[in-house]
């Protein structure tokens, strides 16, 4: 059995959006490939995670991009891309995609704090609120003021 590899072609951002909106599977594949290549080239300087988690973030971000195009939150008109509130895009589609990825990364970090925390749960640093901290420092400060240092 022969295995054939599709060679993804690069299209303009407008062509990607129109193609995805029209459910053109070749353009959807090309957009996926385009975003994947851009993500792989750039995520290491933005996200501090391993490859496995980077793949998870990529896929969630791509799905969100695809949904935004499908739901016409991003659309093409007269050769331009439009987004939120019908305003023209001020960036490229890949830059927009990386902004989605950044938000997905922040969501991921909030949901995976235990993975990122290498300390034992019993020894984890506890946070105290500012008022508690002030209450603990006040006696020390008062003592130092009485010494007239």
């Amino acid at each position: 059995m022969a295995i054939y590899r599709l060679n993804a072609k690069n299209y303009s951002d407008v062509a990607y959006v129109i193609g995805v909106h029209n459910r053109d599977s070749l353009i959807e594949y090309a957009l996926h490939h385009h975003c994947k290549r851009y993500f792989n080239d750039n995520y290491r300087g933005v996200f501090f995670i391993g490859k496995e988690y980077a793949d998870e973030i990529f896929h969630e971000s791509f799905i969100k991009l695809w949904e935004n195009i499908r739901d016409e939150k991003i659309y093409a008109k007269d050769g331009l891309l439009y987004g939120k509130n019908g305003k023209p895009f001020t960036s490229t589609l890949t830059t927009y995609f990386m902004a989605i990825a950044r938000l997905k990364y922040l969501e991921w970090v909030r949901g995976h704090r235990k993975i990122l925390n290498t300390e034992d749960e019993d020894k984890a640093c506890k946070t105290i609120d500012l008022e508690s901290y002030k209450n603990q420092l006040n006696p020390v400060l008062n003592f130092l003021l009485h010494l007239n240092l």
Side-chain angles (χ1 to χ4, degrees), residues 101-147:
R102 181 181 168 275
L103 293 174
K104 293 293 181 185
Y105 169 71
L106 294 174
E107 287 175 14
W108 182 89
V109 167
R110 282 191 295 270
H112 292 81
R113 288 180 196 257
K114 287 185 179 181
I115 291 172
L116 297 176
N117 186 1
T118 58
E119 291 186 36
D120 192 16
E121 201 169 334
D122 295 333
K123 296 178 184 176
C125 297
K126 295 180 181 176
T127 59
I128 59 173
D129 63 294
L130 187 57
E131 286 303 313
S132 297
Y133 190 66
K134 284 181 184 178
N135 291 337
Q136 290 176 2
L137 285 180
N138 277 337
V140 174
L141 291 174
N142 287 334
F143 175 75
L144 292 174
L145 288 173
H146 288 325
L147 291 177

Side-chain angles (χ1 to χ4, degrees), residues 5 8 10 28-38 62:
R5 177 182 163 89
N10 284 328
E28 287 176 332
Y29 171 80
L31 176 60
H32 183 275
H33 181 75
H34 181 62
C35 288
K36 182 67 172 171
R37 190 175 23 164
Y38 189 84
F62 185 79

